[in-house]
Amino acid sequence: AQTVTQSQPEMSVQEAETVTLSCTYDTSESDYYLFWYKQPPSRQMILVIRQEAYKQQNATENRFSVNFQKAAKSFSLKISDSQLGDAAMYFCAYRSLLKAGGGADGLTFGKGTHLIIQP
Amino acid sequence: EAGVAQSPRYKIIEKRQSVAFWCNPISGHATLYWYQQILGQGPKLLIQFQNNGVVDDSQLPKDRFSAERLKGVDSTLKIQPAKLEDSAVYLCASSLLNLGYGYTFGSGTRLTVV
């Protein structure tokens, strides 16, 4: 079974600065998807960014980018120019393509990192 | 488009009582998921439906939890009888197809068992 580990329970950053959230995962599969989700107090999970394991290029979405190191099984999220609205819980998640081939494509989540933005 | 609707938003029950949660996915989304999120942890998949059939329920505690998705649209998750450790947020999500993206989550039901 796959596992996802987020070793930073909480991170704090000054507004407008850059912060990096860490995520490592354990899998024996070669093809999979990785995600970062944001969960504000409203509890709704919001997709921040997605990475396909077969792509070497790191995904980027505006101020959000990832550093995907497949061999190291590491998938960190960098938030540039942090804004007050970025404050939330951030979850790293894994989707098995092997299981998805059989129709089961639920996500495996880490425990999350609470991001605090200091004004 | 309307999002994934869940109700109730909050529920408090005593242990050994039963409770049910309702989810209405985005129109046309064939796949529906129920997740359990215990305080301080990430969501854990309980069950996945494809239309009205179960695709994955390997992590569903079947002695007390049940779920159904009649007619392949709305879904209900039930706990009977509830235990203290069932206190959590229950999130519903849906997706159009098994494509690995486009998951849309609802705002969940926060269950407190006392």
Side-chain angles (χ1 to χ4, degrees), chain A residues 34-93:
Chain A
L34 295 166
F35 304 82
W36 278 99
Y37 276 89
K38 172 184 177 181
Q39 187 178 42
S42 67
R43 303 197 300 251
Q44 186 178 21
M45 302 288 277
I46 301 166
L47 178 64
V48 175
I49 201 164
R50 180 186 75 145
Q51 175 82 43
E52 292 91 336
Y54 66 85
K55 290 186 177 179
Q56 292 186 334
Q57 186 173 8
N58 289 323
T60 299
E61 289 287 342
N62 300 315
R63 299 183 294 107
F64 299 87
S65 62
V66 298
N67 183 3
F68 173 49
Q69 301 289 329
K70 190 174 183 180
K73 298 179 182 175
S74 171
F75 182 60
S76 61
L77 174 69
K78 185 172 82 171
I79 306 174
S80 303
D81 186 24
S82 298
Q83 300 176 0
L84 294 176
D86 295 334
M89 286 294 296
Y90 284 80
F91 292 92
C92 179

Short mmCIF file of all heavy atoms in Angstrom, two decimals, chain A residues 34-93:
data_model
loop_
_atom_site.label_atom_id
_atom_site.label_comp_id
_atom_site.label_asym_id
_atom_site.label_seq_id
_atom_site.Cartn_x
_atom_site.Cartn_y
_atom_site.Cartn_z
N LEU A 34 0.38 12.75 -8.49
CA LEU A 34 0.54 13.40 -7.19
C LEU A 34 -0.20 14.72 -7.22
O LEU A 34 -0.28 15.38 -8.26
CB LEU A 34 2.01 13.63 -6.89
CG LEU A 34 2.86 12.36 -6.72
CD1 LEU A 34 4.34 12.71 -6.75
CD2 LEU A 34 2.51 11.66 -5.41
N PHE A 35 -0.74 15.09 -6.08
CA PHE A 35 -1.55 16.30 -5.97
C PHE A 35 -1.17 17.08 -4.72
O PHE A 35 -0.73 16.50 -3.72
CB PHE A 35 -3.04 15.96 -5.85
CG PHE A 35 -3.61 15.12 -6.94
CD1 PHE A 35 -3.45 13.75 -6.93
CD2 PHE A 35 -4.33 15.70 -7.98
CE1 PHE A 35 -4.00 12.95 -7.94
CE2 PHE A 35 -4.88 14.91 -8.99
CZ PHE A 35 -4.71 13.54 -8.96
N TRP A 36 -1.40 18.37 -4.77
CA TRP A 36 -1.47 19.21 -3.58
C TRP A 36 -2.87 19.80 -3.52
O TRP A 36 -3.35 20.38 -4.50
CB TRP A 36 -0.43 20.33 -3.62
CG TRP A 36 0.93 19.90 -3.18
CD1 TRP A 36 1.99 19.55 -3.97
CD2 TRP A 36 1.39 19.76 -1.84
NE1 TRP A 36 3.06 19.21 -3.21
CE2 TRP A 36 2.73 19.33 -1.89
CE3 TRP A 36 0.80 19.97 -0.59
CZ2 TRP A 36 3.49 19.10 -0.74
CZ3 TRP A 36 1.55 19.75 0.55
CH2 TRP A 36 2.88 19.32 0.47
N TYR A 37 -3.49 19.63 -2.35
CA TYR A 37 -4.81 20.19 -2.10
C TYR A 37 -4.72 21.20 -0.96
O TYR A 37 -3.94 21.04 -0.03
CB TYR A 37 -5.83 19.10 -1.72
CG TYR A 37 -6.44 18.39 -2.89
CD1 TYR A 37 -5.83 17.26 -3.43
CD2 TYR A 37 -7.62 18.84 -3.47
CE1 TYR A 37 -6.39 16.59 -4.50
CE2 TYR A 37 -8.19 18.18 -4.54
CZ TYR A 37 -7.57 17.06 -5.06
OH TYR A 37 -8.12 16.40 -6.13
N LYS A 38 -5.57 22.21 -1.03
CA LYS A 38 -5.70 23.23 0.00
C LYS A 38 -7.05 23.02 0.68
O LYS A 38 -8.06 22.83 0.00
CB LYS A 38 -5.63 24.61 -0.65
CG LYS A 38 -5.95 25.78 0.25
CD LYS A 38 -5.94 27.07 -0.57
CE LYS A 38 -6.32 28.27 0.25
NZ LYS A 38 -6.33 29.52 -0.56
N GLN A 39 -7.06 23.07 2.02
CA GLN A 39 -8.31 22.95 2.75
C GLN A 39 -8.46 24.13 3.70
O GLN A 39 -7.87 24.17 4.77
CB GLN A 39 -8.38 21.64 3.53
CG GLN A 39 -9.75 21.40 4.17
CD GLN A 39 -9.82 20.07 4.91
OE1 GLN A 39 -8.89 19.67 5.60
NE2 GLN A 39 -10.96 19.37 4.76
N PRO A 40 -9.25 25.13 3.32
CA PRO A 40 -9.51 26.27 4.22
C PRO A 40 -10.49 25.86 5.31
O PRO A 40 -10.97 24.73 5.32
CB PRO A 40 -10.12 27.31 3.27
CG PRO A 40 -10.72 26.51 2.16
CD PRO A 40 -9.89 25.27 2.02
N PRO A 41 -10.81 26.74 6.23
CA PRO A 41 -11.76 26.41 7.31
C PRO A 41 -13.13 25.97 6.81
O PRO A 41 -13.86 25.30 7.53
CB PRO A 41 -11.85 27.72 8.10
CG PRO A 41 -10.52 28.37 7.88
CD PRO A 41 -10.16 28.04 6.46
N SER A 42 -13.47 26.30 5.59
CA SER A 42 -14.75 25.84 5.03
C SER A 42 -14.78 24.33 4.84
O SER A 42 -15.84 23.76 4.59
CB SER A 42 -15.02 26.53 3.69
OG SER A 42 -14.08 26.09 2.72
N ARG A 43 -13.63 23.70 4.94
CA ARG A 43 -13.44 22.24 4.85
C ARG A 43 -13.42 21.69 3.43
O ARG A 43 -13.07 20.52 3.23
CB ARG A 43 -14.49 21.46 5.67
CG ARG A 43 -14.56 21.82 7.13
CD ARG A 43 -15.29 20.75 7.91
NE ARG A 43 -16.66 20.55 7.48
CZ ARG A 43 -17.71 20.91 8.20
NH1 ARG A 43 -17.56 21.53 9.34
NH2 ARG A 43 -18.94 20.64 7.75
N GLN A 44 -13.77 22.48 2.44
CA GLN A 44 -13.77 21.96 1.07
C GLN A 44 -12.35 21.83 0.56
O GLN A 44 -11.57 22.78 0.62
CB GLN A 44 -14.58 22.87 0.17
CG GLN A 44 -14.76 22.34 -1.23
CD GLN A 44 -15.61 23.24 -2.09
OE1 GLN A 44 -15.75 24.43 -1.79
NE2 GLN A 44 -16.18 22.72 -3.15
N MET A 45 -11.99 20.69 0.04
CA MET A 45 -10.66 20.46 -0.52
C MET A 45 -10.59 21.09 -1.91
O MET A 45 -11.44 20.80 -2.77
CB MET A 45 -10.38 18.96 -0.63
CG MET A 45 -10.47 18.20 0.67
SD MET A 45 -9.11 18.57 1.76
CE MET A 45 -7.86 17.48 1.13
N ILE A 46 -9.57 21.92 -2.11
CA ILE A 46 -9.42 22.64 -3.38
C ILE A 46 -8.10 22.23 -4.02
O ILE A 46 -7.05 22.30 -3.38
CB ILE A 46 -9.44 24.16 -3.14
CG1 ILE A 46 -10.75 24.57 -2.46
CG2 ILE A 46 -9.22 24.92 -4.44
CD1 ILE A 46 -10.73 25.95 -1.88
N LEU A 47 -8.15 21.79 -5.27
CA LEU A 47 -6.95 21.37 -5.96
C LEU A 47 -6.03 22.57 -6.22
O LEU A 47 -6.45 23.58 -6.75
CB LEU A 47 -7.30 20.71 -7.30
CG LEU A 47 -6.12 20.27 -8.16
CD1 LEU A 47 -5.32 19.17 -7.46
CD2 LEU A 47 -6.59 19.81 -9.53
N VAL A 48 -4.77 22.42 -5.82
CA VAL A 48 -3.77 23.46 -6.06
C VAL A 48 -2.95 23.13 -7.31
O VAL A 48 -2.78 23.98 -8.19
CB VAL A 48 -2.82 23.59 -4.85
CG1 VAL A 48 -1.71 24.58 -5.14
CG2 VAL A 48 -3.61 24.01 -3.60
N ILE A 49 -2.46 21.90 -7.39
CA ILE A 49 -1.58 21.53 -8.49
C ILE A 49 -1.51 20.02 -8.60
O ILE A 49 -1.72 19.31 -7.61
CB ILE A 49 -0.17 22.15 -8.28
CG1 ILE A 49 0.60 22.24 -9.59
CG2 ILE A 49 0.60 21.41 -7.20
CD1 ILE A 49 1.80 23.19 -9.50
N ARG A 50 -1.24 19.53 -9.81
CA ARG A 50 -1.19 18.10 -10.07
C ARG A 50 0.06 17.78 -10.88
O ARG A 50 0.47 18.57 -11.74
CB ARG A 50 -2.43 17.68 -10.85
CG ARG A 50 -2.52 16.21 -11.19
CD ARG A 50 -3.71 15.91 -12.07
NE ARG A 50 -3.48 16.36 -13.43
CZ ARG A 50 -3.93 15.74 -14.51
NH1 ARG A 50 -4.62 14.63 -14.36
NH2 ARG A 50 -3.74 16.20 -15.72
N GLN A 51 0.65 16.60 -10.62
CA GLN A 51 1.85 16.16 -11.34
C GLN A 51 1.68 14.71 -11.77
O GLN A 51 1.34 13.87 -10.95
CB GLN A 51 3.09 16.30 -10.44
CG GLN A 51 4.38 15.76 -11.02
CD GLN A 51 5.05 16.74 -11.96
OE1 GLN A 51 5.12 17.94 -11.68
NE2 GLN A 51 5.57 16.24 -13.05
N GLU A 52 1.91 14.45 -13.04
CA GLU A 52 1.93 13.07 -13.51
C GLU A 52 3.36 12.54 -13.38
O GLU A 52 4.30 13.23 -13.79
CB GLU A 52 1.49 12.98 -14.98
CG GLU A 52 0.04 13.31 -15.22
CD GLU A 52 -0.20 14.78 -15.52
OE1 GLU A 52 0.62 15.62 -15.11
OE2 GLU A 52 -1.22 15.10 -16.16
N ALA A 53 3.52 11.35 -12.87
CA ALA A 53 4.85 10.82 -12.59
C ALA A 53 5.68 10.62 -13.84
O ALA A 53 6.92 10.68 -13.79
CB ALA A 53 4.75 9.50 -11.82
N TYR A 54 5.04 10.40 -14.98
CA TYR A 54 5.80 10.16 -16.20
C TYR A 54 6.36 11.44 -16.79
O TYR A 54 7.19 11.42 -17.69
CB TYR A 54 4.94 9.42 -17.23
CG TYR A 54 3.77 10.21 -17.77
CD1 TYR A 54 3.93 11.09 -18.84
CD2 TYR A 54 2.51 10.09 -17.22
CE1 TYR A 54 2.86 11.81 -19.34
CE2 TYR A 54 1.43 10.80 -17.70
CZ TYR A 54 1.61 11.67 -18.77
OH TYR A 54 0.54 12.38 -19.24
N LYS A 55 5.90 12.58 -16.31
CA LYS A 55 6.39 13.86 -16.82
C LYS A 55 7.59 14.32 -15.99
O LYS A 55 7.52 14.40 -14.77
CB LYS A 55 5.28 14.92 -16.75
CG LYS A 55 4.16 14.70 -17.74
CD LYS A 55 3.19 15.87 -17.72
CE LYS A 55 2.10 15.69 -18.77
NZ LYS A 55 1.11 16.82 -18.74
N GLN A 56 8.68 14.61 -16.65
CA GLN A 56 9.87 15.08 -15.95
C GLN A 56 9.75 16.56 -15.57
O GLN A 56 10.33 16.99 -14.58
CB GLN A 56 11.11 14.86 -16.81
CG GLN A 56 11.45 13.39 -17.00
CD GLN A 56 12.77 13.21 -17.72
OE1 GLN A 56 13.18 14.08 -18.49
NE2 GLN A 56 13.43 12.09 -17.49
N GLN A 57 8.99 17.30 -16.36
CA GLN A 57 8.87 18.73 -16.10
C GLN A 57 7.99 18.95 -14.88
O GLN A 57 6.91 18.38 -14.75
CB GLN A 57 8.27 19.44 -17.31
CG GLN A 57 8.24 20.94 -17.18
CD GLN A 57 7.80 21.61 -18.48
OE1 GLN A 57 7.38 20.95 -19.43
NE2 GLN A 57 7.90 22.92 -18.52
N ASN A 58 8.46 19.83 -14.00
CA ASN A 58 7.70 20.15 -12.80
C ASN A 58 6.49 21.01 -13.15
O ASN A 58 6.58 21.95 -13.93
CB ASN A 58 8.58 20.91 -11.80
CG ASN A 58 9.63 20.01 -11.18
OD1 ASN A 58 9.39 18.84 -10.92
ND2 ASN A 58 10.81 20.56 -10.96
N ALA A 59 5.35 20.67 -12.52
CA ALA A 59 4.12 21.42 -12.77
C ALA A 59 4.19 22.81 -12.13
O ALA A 59 4.81 23.00 -11.08
CB ALA A 59 2.92 20.65 -12.23
N THR A 60 3.52 23.76 -12.79
CA THR A 60 3.46 25.13 -12.29
C THR A 60 2.06 25.68 -12.53
O THR A 60 1.47 25.46 -13.60
CB THR A 60 4.47 26.03 -13.01
OG1 THR A 60 5.78 25.54 -12.77
CG2 THR A 60 4.37 27.46 -12.53
N GLU A 61 1.53 26.35 -11.52
CA GLU A 61 0.24 27.04 -11.63
C GLU A 61 0.37 28.40 -10.97
O GLU A 61 0.24 28.53 -9.76
CB GLU A 61 -0.88 26.23 -10.95
CG GLU A 61 -1.28 24.96 -11.64
CD GLU A 61 -2.09 25.21 -12.91
OE1 GLU A 61 -2.64 26.32 -13.08
OE2 GLU A 61 -2.19 24.27 -13.73
N ASN A 62 0.63 29.40 -11.78
CA ASN A 62 0.77 30.78 -11.27
C ASN A 62 1.83 30.83 -10.17
O ASN A 62 3.00 30.54 -10.43
CB ASN A 62 -0.59 31.28 -10.79
CG ASN A 62 -1.62 31.28 -11.90
OD1 ASN A 62 -1.35 31.72 -13.01
ND2 ASN A 62 -2.79 30.74 -11.63
N ARG A 63 1.46 31.16 -8.93
CA ARG A 63 2.44 31.30 -7.85
C ARG A 63 2.84 29.96 -7.23
O ARG A 63 3.69 29.92 -6.34
CB ARG A 63 1.86 32.21 -6.75
CG ARG A 63 1.54 33.61 -7.21
CD ARG A 63 1.04 34.48 -6.05
NE ARG A 63 -0.26 34.01 -5.54
CZ ARG A 63 -0.42 33.38 -4.37
NH1 ARG A 63 0.62 33.14 -3.59
NH2 ARG A 63 -1.62 33.01 -3.98
N PHE A 64 2.23 28.88 -7.68
CA PHE A 64 2.46 27.56 -7.09
C PHE A 64 3.28 26.70 -8.05
O PHE A 64 2.97 26.62 -9.23
CB PHE A 64 1.12 26.87 -6.80
CG PHE A 64 0.25 27.61 -5.82
CD1 PHE A 64 -0.63 28.60 -6.27
CD2 PHE A 64 0.32 27.35 -4.48
CE1 PHE A 64 -1.42 29.30 -5.38
CE2 PHE A 64 -0.48 28.03 -3.57
CZ PHE A 64 -1.36 29.01 -4.02
N SER A 65 4.30 26.08 -7.54
CA SER A 65 5.11 25.17 -8.34
C SER A 65 5.55 24.01 -7.47
O SER A 65 5.53 24.09 -6.24
CB SER A 65 6.32 25.89 -8.94
OG SER A 65 7.15 26.37 -7.91
N VAL A 66 5.92 22.92 -8.14
CA VAL A 66 6.37 21.75 -7.39
C VAL A 66 7.79 21.40 -7.78
O VAL A 66 8.28 21.75 -8.85
CB VAL A 66 5.46 20.52 -7.63
CG1 VAL A 66 4.04 20.82 -7.14
CG2 VAL A 66 5.47 20.09 -9.08
N ASN A 67 8.47 20.72 -6.87
CA ASN A 67 9.77 20.11 -7.14
C ASN A 67 9.56 18.61 -7.01
O ASN A 67 9.48 18.09 -5.89
CB ASN A 67 10.82 20.62 -6.16
CG ASN A 67 12.19 20.05 -6.48
OD1 ASN A 67 12.38 19.32 -7.46
ND2 ASN A 67 13.17 20.37 -5.65
N PHE A 68 9.43 17.94 -8.13
CA PHE A 68 9.14 16.51 -8.16
C PHE A 68 10.44 15.75 -8.39
O PHE A 68 11.08 15.89 -9.44
CB PHE A 68 8.13 16.21 -9.27
CG PHE A 68 7.88 14.74 -9.51
CD1 PHE A 68 7.60 13.89 -8.46
CD2 PHE A 68 7.91 14.22 -10.80
CE1 PHE A 68 7.35 12.55 -8.68
CE2 PHE A 68 7.67 12.88 -11.03
CZ PHE A 68 7.39 12.04 -9.97
N GLN A 69 10.84 14.97 -7.41
CA GLN A 69 12.04 14.16 -7.49
C GLN A 69 11.60 12.70 -7.42
O GLN A 69 11.42 12.15 -6.32
CB GLN A 69 12.99 14.51 -6.34
CG GLN A 69 13.45 15.95 -6.29
CD GLN A 69 14.40 16.28 -7.41
OE1 GLN A 69 15.17 15.44 -7.88
NE2 GLN A 69 14.34 17.53 -7.87
N LYS A 70 11.43 12.08 -8.59
CA LYS A 70 10.84 10.73 -8.63
C LYS A 70 11.71 9.70 -7.94
O LYS A 70 11.22 8.85 -7.19
CB LYS A 70 10.57 10.32 -10.07
CG LYS A 70 9.76 9.04 -10.20
CD LYS A 70 9.39 8.75 -11.63
CE LYS A 70 8.50 7.52 -11.73
NZ LYS A 70 8.12 7.22 -13.14
N ALA A 71 13.00 9.75 -8.15
CA ALA A 71 13.88 8.75 -7.56
C ALA A 71 13.89 8.86 -6.04
O ALA A 71 13.94 7.85 -5.32
CB ALA A 71 15.30 8.91 -8.10
N ALA A 72 13.81 10.07 -5.55
CA ALA A 72 13.80 10.30 -4.11
C ALA A 72 12.40 10.19 -3.52
O ALA A 72 12.23 10.25 -2.30
CB ALA A 72 14.38 11.68 -3.80
N LYS A 73 11.40 10.06 -4.40
CA LYS A 73 10.00 9.99 -3.97
C LYS A 73 9.65 11.21 -3.11
O LYS A 73 9.10 11.09 -2.00
CB LYS A 73 9.70 8.67 -3.25
CG LYS A 73 9.90 7.47 -4.16
CD LYS A 73 9.63 6.15 -3.46
CE LYS A 73 9.91 5.01 -4.42
NZ LYS A 73 9.78 3.68 -3.79
N SER A 74 9.96 12.35 -3.67
CA SER A 74 9.74 13.61 -2.99
C SER A 74 8.91 14.52 -3.89
O SER A 74 9.11 14.57 -5.12
CB SER A 74 11.08 14.26 -2.66
OG SER A 74 10.91 15.56 -2.19
N PHE A 75 8.01 15.28 -3.28
CA PHE A 75 7.09 16.11 -4.06
C PHE A 75 6.77 17.35 -3.22
O PHE A 75 5.78 17.41 -2.51
CB PHE A 75 5.82 15.31 -4.35
CG PHE A 75 4.78 16.02 -5.18
CD1 PHE A 75 5.08 16.45 -6.47
CD2 PHE A 75 3.49 16.22 -4.71
CE1 PHE A 75 4.13 17.08 -7.25
CE2 PHE A 75 2.53 16.86 -5.47
CZ PHE A 75 2.85 17.29 -6.75
N SER A 76 7.61 18.38 -3.30
CA SER A 76 7.43 19.56 -2.47
C SER A 76 6.67 20.65 -3.23
O SER A 76 6.73 20.73 -4.47
CB SER A 76 8.77 20.09 -1.98
OG SER A 76 9.58 20.44 -3.08
N LEU A 77 5.98 21.48 -2.50
CA LEU A 77 5.19 22.58 -3.06
C LEU A 77 5.82 23.90 -2.68
O LEU A 77 6.07 24.15 -1.48
CB LEU A 77 3.76 22.53 -2.53
CG LEU A 77 2.85 23.70 -2.92
CD1 LEU A 77 2.52 23.67 -4.42
CD2 LEU A 77 1.57 23.71 -2.08
N LYS A 78 6.09 24.74 -3.66
CA LYS A 78 6.62 26.07 -3.41
C LYS A 78 5.55 27.09 -3.70
O LYS A 78 4.95 27.09 -4.78
CB LYS A 78 7.86 26.35 -4.26
CG LYS A 78 8.52 27.68 -3.93
CD LYS A 78 9.85 27.87 -4.64
CE LYS A 78 9.68 28.34 -6.06
NZ LYS A 78 10.98 28.73 -6.67
N ILE A 79 5.32 27.96 -2.72
CA ILE A 79 4.36 29.05 -2.90
C ILE A 79 5.15 30.35 -2.90
O ILE A 79 5.82 30.69 -1.91
CB ILE A 79 3.31 29.08 -1.77
CG1 ILE A 79 2.62 27.72 -1.65
CG2 ILE A 79 2.29 30.19 -2.01
CD1 ILE A 79 1.66 27.61 -0.46
N SER A 80 5.10 31.05 -4.00
CA SER A 80 5.82 32.32 -4.13
C SER A 80 4.88 33.48 -3.84
O SER A 80 3.66 33.38 -4.04
CB SER A 80 6.37 32.46 -5.55
OG SER A 80 7.21 31.37 -5.88
N ASP A 81 5.46 34.60 -3.36
CA ASP A 81 4.66 35.80 -3.10
C ASP A 81 3.42 35.42 -2.27
O ASP A 81 2.28 35.66 -2.66
CB ASP A 81 4.24 36.44 -4.43
CG ASP A 81 3.52 37.75 -4.26
OD1 ASP A 81 3.71 38.41 -3.22
OD2 ASP A 81 2.72 38.11 -5.15
N SER A 82 3.66 34.84 -1.11
CA SER A 82 2.56 34.36 -0.26
C SER A 82 1.55 35.45 0.03
O SER A 82 1.91 36.61 0.29
CB SER A 82 3.13 33.83 1.06
OG SER A 82 3.99 32.74 0.84
N GLN A 83 0.28 35.07 -0.01
CA GLN A 83 -0.80 36.01 0.26
C GLN A 83 -1.62 35.51 1.45
O GLN A 83 -1.63 34.32 1.76
CB GLN A 83 -1.69 36.13 -0.99
CG GLN A 83 -0.94 36.62 -2.21
CD GLN A 83 -1.79 36.65 -3.47
OE1 GLN A 83 -2.96 36.31 -3.46
NE2 GLN A 83 -1.18 37.08 -4.57
N LEU A 84 -2.32 36.44 2.09
CA LEU A 84 -3.10 36.08 3.26
C LEU A 84 -4.11 34.97 2.94
O LEU A 84 -4.41 34.11 3.76
CB LEU A 84 -3.82 37.31 3.83
CG LEU A 84 -2.91 38.39 4.41
CD1 LEU A 84 -3.73 39.60 4.85
CD2 LEU A 84 -2.08 37.87 5.57
N GLY A 85 -4.61 34.99 1.73
CA GLY A 85 -5.59 33.98 1.33
C GLY A 85 -5.01 32.59 1.14
O GLY A 85 -5.75 31.63 0.96
N ASP A 86 -3.69 32.48 1.20
CA ASP A 86 -3.06 31.16 1.09
C ASP A 86 -3.09 30.40 2.41
O ASP A 86 -2.80 29.20 2.45
CB ASP A 86 -1.60 31.30 0.64
CG ASP A 86 -1.46 31.86 -0.76
OD1 ASP A 86 -2.38 31.70 -1.57
OD2 ASP A 86 -0.40 32.50 -1.03
N ALA A 87 -3.42 31.07 3.49
CA ALA A 87 -3.47 30.41 4.79
C ALA A 87 -4.52 29.31 4.79
O ALA A 87 -5.69 29.55 4.45
CB ALA A 87 -3.79 31.43 5.88
N ALA A 88 -4.09 28.09 5.15
CA ALA A 88 -4.99 26.93 5.10
C ALA A 88 -4.20 25.70 5.49
O ALA A 88 -2.99 25.76 5.74
CB ALA A 88 -5.56 26.74 3.69
N MET A 89 -4.88 24.55 5.52
CA MET A 89 -4.20 23.26 5.60
C MET A 89 -3.87 22.83 4.18
O MET A 89 -4.69 23.00 3.26
CB MET A 89 -5.10 22.22 6.25
CG MET A 89 -5.27 22.35 7.75
SD MET A 89 -3.75 22.04 8.67
CE MET A 89 -3.44 20.32 8.28
N TYR A 90 -2.68 22.29 3.99
CA TYR A 90 -2.27 21.79 2.68
C TYR A 90 -1.98 20.29 2.79
O TYR A 90 -1.25 19.85 3.66
CB TYR A 90 -1.02 22.53 2.18
CG TYR A 90 -1.35 23.92 1.68
CD1 TYR A 90 -1.51 24.96 2.58
CD2 TYR A 90 -1.52 24.17 0.33
CE1 TYR A 90 -1.85 26.23 2.14
CE2 TYR A 90 -1.84 25.45 -0.13
CZ TYR A 90 -2.01 26.46 0.79
OH TYR A 90 -2.35 27.73 0.35
N PHE A 91 -2.59 19.56 1.86
CA PHE A 91 -2.45 18.11 1.85
C PHE A 91 -1.81 17.64 0.56
O PHE A 91 -2.21 18.06 -0.53
CB PHE A 91 -3.81 17.43 2.01
CG PHE A 91 -4.44 17.62 3.35
CD1 PHE A 91 -5.32 18.68 3.58
CD2 PHE A 91 -4.16 16.76 4.40
CE1 PHE A 91 -5.90 18.86 4.81
CE2 PHE A 91 -4.73 16.94 5.64
CZ PHE A 91 -5.61 18.00 5.85
N CYS A 92 -0.86 16.74 0.71
CA CYS A 92 -0.26 16.05 -0.42
C CYS A 92 -1.04 14.75 -0.62
O CYS A 92 -1.44 14.11 0.36
CB CYS A 92 1.21 15.77 -0.08
SG CYS A 92 2.14 14.90 -1.33
N ALA A 93 -1.27 14.37 -1.86
CA ALA A 93 -2.07 13.16 -2.12
C ALA A 93 -1.51 12.38 -3.30
O ALA A 93 -0.91 12.95 -4.21
CB ALA A 93 -3.53 13.55 -2.38
#
